[in-house]
Amino acid sequence: MAGNRRPTIKTVAARAGVGRTTVSRVVNGSELVSAEARARVLAAIKELNYVPNSVARGLVTSRTNSVALVIPESESRLGSEPFFAALIRGVSAALAESRTQLQLCLVRDQAERDQLTESVATRRVDGVLLVSVHADDRLPGLLEEMGLPTVLAGRRGEDEQLSYVESDNAGGATQAVRHLLGRGRTKIATITGPLDMDVARSRLAGWRAAHQEAGLEPSELLVEEGDFTEESGGRAMRSLLERIPDLDAVFAASDLMAVGALAELHRRDLRVPEDVAVVGFEDSILARHTNPPLTTVRQPVEEVGRTMARILTDITLHDAERRRATLPTELVVRESS
């Protein structure tokens, strides 16, 4: 072939003596092609060393071979929270298996939400992976109305109908507080995430469940809401200590909030774990580098991302049924407790 230009679907069609639609059908495994035409197309593909691209496949399937990972957070938060980086790694690894491209979409304001809605409406993506789901978020419902395959990281509530993947949030929190009770702690506070998120409510429920199974009724004065950031962990720790100066442990619903709590405890010259034991949730890289190293609940964030991507791929490629998956967590004990 003259020159070094990459062969196109048009080149293959001309070599095989068929139309471009026929080539696309062969590429996508359609049965709507005669054996003779299929043989000619396959021979031309081999001769030309043709590699199908997403546009060629899309001629018949209307697929873009790309999915959107939608994160309604700022760039600064995306960069500062290890959770998002681990999730993106997992999603990317799984999508690479099916040669599906990933579009990362940060939705920070109404203009960007409108832009995303337009992309969805015009089918510029085959499906959506949605992170940081809040109970009042209209986006999951909108995607469902549009008929676009969607998989959530977490769920909006116990009656969630869309596909989702989550960690065992309640079970992990129960493990954490059970551990603190077993170490003789009697006033165990908790710093929650935003309570309009199921992940935060579930971890709070686990905190309560551990107390109740031990025959205790925890005071609501021991509960302070954060937003999963380090700053909110510090603020929450200050509020808790002002209300209950003699608390002896805190379960933070994220490692970042635990880091903020540790900083506040150090500022007040309270020893960890001698005066106040601290446990986080996630087992991010931060947990191994705090002072002291942080006891935390390990959640398989990369596996959550991989599972989300595989569920979405099964739906978009094979018309699979919706799936809900809860992945196990594990308590990792270090010096902070």
Side-chain angles (χ1 to χ4, degrees):
M1 190 173 69
N4 294 317
R5 288 180 300 174
R6 180 179 174 179
T8 66
I9 193 170
K10 183 177 180 180
T11 316
V12 174
R15 181 63 61 93
V18 298
R20 283 182 291 174
T21 300
T22 300
V23 175
S24 191
R25 283 175 175 159
V26 171
V27 166
N28 287 282
S30 171
E31 296 180 359
L32 301 176
V33 182
S34 69
E36 179 185 356
R38 185 184 304 279
R40 291 206 307 271
V41 170
L42 291 175
I45 286 174
K46 183 176 181 181
E47 182 180 348
L48 296 170
N49 195 26
Y50 170 68
V51 178
N53 60 37
S54 59
V55 175
R57 287 192 293 271
L59 288 175
V60 170
T61 64
S62 297
R63 283 177 47 80
T64 64
N65 273 15
S66 64
V67 300
L69 174 59
V70 179
I71 302 177
E73 304 289 356
S74 65
E75 297 100 325
S76 60
R77 190 158 182 181
L78 182 68
S80 65
E81 296 196 22
F83 172 85
F84 294 120
L87 189 82
I88 292 168
R89 283 197 302 272
V91 168
S92 298
L95 291 179
E97 297 168 2
S98 60
R99 297 178 180 268
T100 302
Q101 293 182 327
L102 175 63
Q103 295 184 21
L104 180 60
C105 302
L106 301 185
V107 179
R108 295 154 291 194
D109 54 31
Q110 189 57 46
E112 290 182 342
R113 182 174 288 265
D114 291 343
Q115 186 177 16
L116 173 65
T117 303
E118 180 187 351
S119 293
V120 168
T122 54
R123 288 300 192 270
R124 294 177 197 163
V125 293
D126 298 325
V128 171
L129 302 165
L130 187 57
V131 184
S132 296
V133 182
H134 295 258
D136 61 352
D137 192 345
R138 294 177 55 249
L139 186 56
L142 179 64
L143 296 170
E144 185 175 27
E145 289 171 13
M146 291 179 168
L148 192 76
T150 302
V151 181
L152 310 179
R155 56 186 183 173
R156 289 168 289 177
E158 293 183 2
D159 59 350
E160 181 60 70
Q161 297 301 304
L162 294 179
S163 296
Y164 66 82
V165 183
E166 64 175 0
S167 299
D168 182 6
N169 294 300
T174 299
Q175 267 191 304
V177 179
R178 193 184 287 147
H179 163 74
L180 290 167
L181 289 166
R183 294 291 172 95
R185 306 295 168 154
T186 58
K187 291 187 177 180
I188 304 170
T190 185
I191 302 173
T192 76
L195 292 174
D196 65 341
M197 298 181 72
D198 180 81
V199 59
R201 295 193 301 273
S202 294
R203 292 175 189 177
L204 177 59
W207 173 82
R208 290 197 177 107
H211 281 90
Q212 289 162 358
E213 74 177 22
L216 304 170
E217 192 59 44
S219 168
E220 292 303 307
L221 292 175
L222 289 164
V223 179
E224 188 69 24
E225 186 174 347
D227 63 8
F228 291 130
T229 64
E230 180 178 349
E231 293 76 17
S232 75
R235 288 194 302 271
M237 193 74 251
R238 282 194 294 278
S239 296
L240 287 166
L241 288 168
E242 286 165 8
R243 286 202 301 271
I244 307 176
D246 60 341
L247 66 82
D248 58 9
V250 60
F251 163 60
S254 77
D255 285 353
L256 265 180
M257 291 195 298
V259 169
L262 283 169
E264 180 62 22
L265 291 168
H266 291 322
R267 192 179 71 81
R268 292 172 179 253
D269 294 325
L270 290 169
R271 298 168 301 162
V272 178
E274 292 85 355
D275 298 323
V276 181
V278 179
V279 178
F281 202 114
E282 186 180 337
D283 195 30
S284 65
I285 192 170
L286 296 172
R288 295 184 288 279
H289 300 289
T290 56
N291 178 28
L294 183 67
T295 294
T296 185
V297 178
R298 177 179 293 154
Q299 63 169 342
V301 181
E302 285 195 37
E303 186 58 30
V304 168
R306 280 192 292 270
T307 305
M308 288 175 66
R310 285 169 181 158
I311 289 174
L312 186 59
T313 300
D314 283 345
I315 295 171
T316 59
L317 287 179
H318 310 299
D319 200 26
E321 296 294 320
R322 291 176 178 176
R323 280 178 51 202
R324 289 106 192 176
T326 300
L327 304 185
T329 55
E330 174 190 2
L331 182 68
V332 180
V333 179
R334 298 191 180 96
E335 287 88 334
S336 71
S337 63

